[in-house]
Amino acid sequence: MAVLTGAGISAESGVPTFRGPGGLWKDYKPEDLATPEAFARDPQLVWEWYNWRRETIHKAKPNSGHAALVRLEIQKPHFTLITQNVDGLHDMAGSGRMLKLHGDIWRMRCTVCGSNWPDRRATLPKLPPHCGCGGLARPGVVWFGEPLPEGMMQEAEHATLEAQVLLVVGTSAQVYPAASLIPLAKQAGARVIQVNLEPTPYSEIVDCALEGAAGEILPRLVE
Ligand code: BJW
Ligand code: ZN
């Protein structure tokens, strides 16, 4: 079994999603800030957005949806959690077998020497942060136009092709290549179950589209 999660699974923990209500920060859309071009133009602005998000995520705790996926991992011999989320709430809930397609907001990376390191402070005291080598640091996440961490999409595709069921939770399924796992699973003959508050571009092709909150539906599904 494979599970693909998106920002919607963390919404009930108080983490704003990207698209829809609460997705904007100071009138900027994520597409305006989550790009290498935006960072090159104005690293201070992009870091202010990340600092605001770090504060919000730092206060958040995993919810019953995250917990249900931990139980599922214990129940199923073959299980892979594929997440687009960078918030670390799956880790905090106790998920172990996990692919983080879009990186981790709690890691930093140097734009000069390439070294990377963890930093879990809710707010960074000085923006923009720098590496020991003096180079500008960036969040350890994947922005639009950047490749996913090496080999990770292949691992996600492999897990999807092996799975008899793909459970898709809380993603608008608009960002690629992550969203491509949904038609891939269908083509490979897997059953696809979607859990979302609203329809997505794939609602028509999935086997079962459950409309509702992940924190309510997932615990019932796992029972
Ligand atoms: C609930 C709920 C509740 C709420 N319960 N549900 C093919 C076609 C078209 C475009 C492309 C393509 N291939 C690539 C592209 C370009 C681009 C892309 O996809 N663009 C589209 C927007 C058109 N993709 C990329 O650039 C990717 N890279 C790439 O392709 O590289 C190629 C390359 C190869 C070699 C060299 C160079 C390049 C990278 C994509 C990176 C995405 N990054 C972000 C930011 C991460 C860092 C950060 O967090 O700051 O990732 S963008 C943002 O979107 C974030 C998310 O992970 C991602 C997905 O969002 P998600 O999770 O779906 O959230 P929302 O908000 O959209 O949806 C929430 C859903 O939850 C909603 O449906 C709600 O209804 C629901 N919901 N409450 C259940 N309680
Ligand atoms: Zn450095």
Side-chain angles (χ1 to χ4, degrees):
M1 167 159 208
V3 182
L4 172 67
T5 64
I9 194 167
S10 297
E12 289 157 85
S13 294
V15 181
T17 60
F18 292 91
R19 295 157 193 88
L24 292 183
W25 174 77
K26 294 188 180 175
D27 285 341
Y28 293 98
K29 295 196 293 276
E31 289 82 354
D32 302 331
L33 297 165
T35 69
E37 292 78 19
F39 189 68
R41 201 182 315 123
D42 196 344
Q44 180 74 22
L45 175 76
V46 173
W47 264 117
E48 281 173 22
W49 180 50
Y50 277 94
N51 225 20
W52 170 76
R53 290 179 54 205
R54 289 170 76 101
E55 280 172 36
T56 312
I57 297 170
H58 202 267
K59 285 185 238 151
K61 299 213 167 30
N63 63 55
S64 49
H66 297 102
L69 296 184
V70 178
R71 287 202 297 283
L72 207 54
E73 177 177 336
I74 295 165
Q75 282 172 18
K76 303 279 171 196
H78 300 285
F79 179 93
T80 307
L81 175 56
I82 304 161
T83 188
Q84 300 170 80
N85 298 348
V86 302
D87 57 29
L89 291 182
H90 284 305
D91 309 63
M92 209 188 279
S95 283
R97 293 183 52 81
M98 196 188 343
L99 297 171
K100 292 185 187 177
L101 294 183
H102 295 160
D104 189 333
I105 199 169
W106 303 114
R107 292 197 74 85
M108 318 277 272
R109 192 160 82 237
C110 178
T111 59
V112 177
C113 72
S115 65
N116 70 93
W117 64 94
D119 188 332
R120 280 207 69 94
R121 285 176 293 176
T123 29
L124 297 171
K126 196 167 162 291
L127 295 182
H130 285 82
C131 171
C133 81
L136 176 65
R138 58 162 286 176
V141 300
V142 181
W143 287 326
F144 286 113
E146 294 185 323
L148 272 49
E150 203 177 340
M152 204 166 280
M153 193 58 201
Q154 286 78 357
E155 280 191 57
E157 285 171 351
H158 180 75
T160 302
L161 290 171
E162 296 277 288
Q164 286 173 345
V165 176
L166 176 69
L167 176 60
V168 181
V169 185
T171 176
S172 61
Q174 290 179 32
V175 173
Y176 287 82
S180 68
L181 295 172
I182 302 167
L184 182 72
K186 278 307 302 170
Q187 282 155 24
R191 310 252 296 170
V192 181
I193 305 169
Q194 173 177 272
V195 178
N196 200 305
L197 287 182
E198 50 188 48
T200 75
Y202 288 109
S203 291
E204 297 296 318
I205 72 148
V206 301
D207 296 281
C208 176
L210 301 171
E211 280 188 24
E216 286 165 24
I217 293 182
L218 290 183
R220 278 164 40 207
L221 210 59
V222 173
E223 282 289 302

